[in-house]
Amino acid sequence: MMRIFLDANIFISVLNKEYPLFPYTARLLSLTRYGGFSLVTSPVCLAIAFYFAEKKHGTVAARNKIALLLEHIEVADCGEREAKMAIQNKQAHDFEDALQYYCALHAGCEHIVTNDLNDFYFAQMEVLTPEAFLVRHAPR
């Protein structure tokens, strides 16, 4: 089972139907229909996505959208261990990105998928855009 960590910007793109990214991010989320893929994120990513969905669609719609996501994705633990590792990583200049990285790492993810590759310049695992991930790994 390939475990894929999805960054907050993937969910924001899907929840707010942001083009030109939406077709790739929506297809990425559809991978849960196929065997062999497990989509993982963190509580922080969900909170960020909720914030942006709420601004665009209101609280009730944002709650419904996040609830639907939670039926298809796994939420990894992100606690003290990840926070300590993130703050101690001198290579990572953005605490939130480092926090997501260690959450992905400890959840056993093989890839981080994000719309901003520059956020994870320090990562020791493969970081791909949704389009690149789909080209390389998605069923045809």
Side-chain angles (χ1 to χ4, degrees), residues 49-113:
F50 179 86
Y51 172 80
F52 285 100
E54 184 180 39
K55 283 181 74 165
K56 186 166 184 175
H57 305 287
T59 302
V60 172
R63 283 182 179 273
N64 291 337
K65 289 171 182 272
I66 295 294
L68 184 60
L69 281 176
L70 289 171
E71 293 177 16
H72 303 284
I73 61 170
E74 177 184 332
V75 180
D77 291 331
C78 190
E80 182 179 357
R81 174 175 66 160
E82 291 78 14
K84 285 181 177 178
M85 293 182 84
I87 205 68
Q88 292 169 0
N89 185 335
K90 302 296 185 222
Q91 289 182 310
H93 301 295
D94 185 296
F95 177 71
E96 185 260 329
D97 293 333
L99 193 60
Q100 303 312 338
Y101 170 70
Y102 287 109
C103 182
L105 187 68
H106 293 151
C109 295
E110 301 167 51
H111 307 280
I112 294 175
V113 179

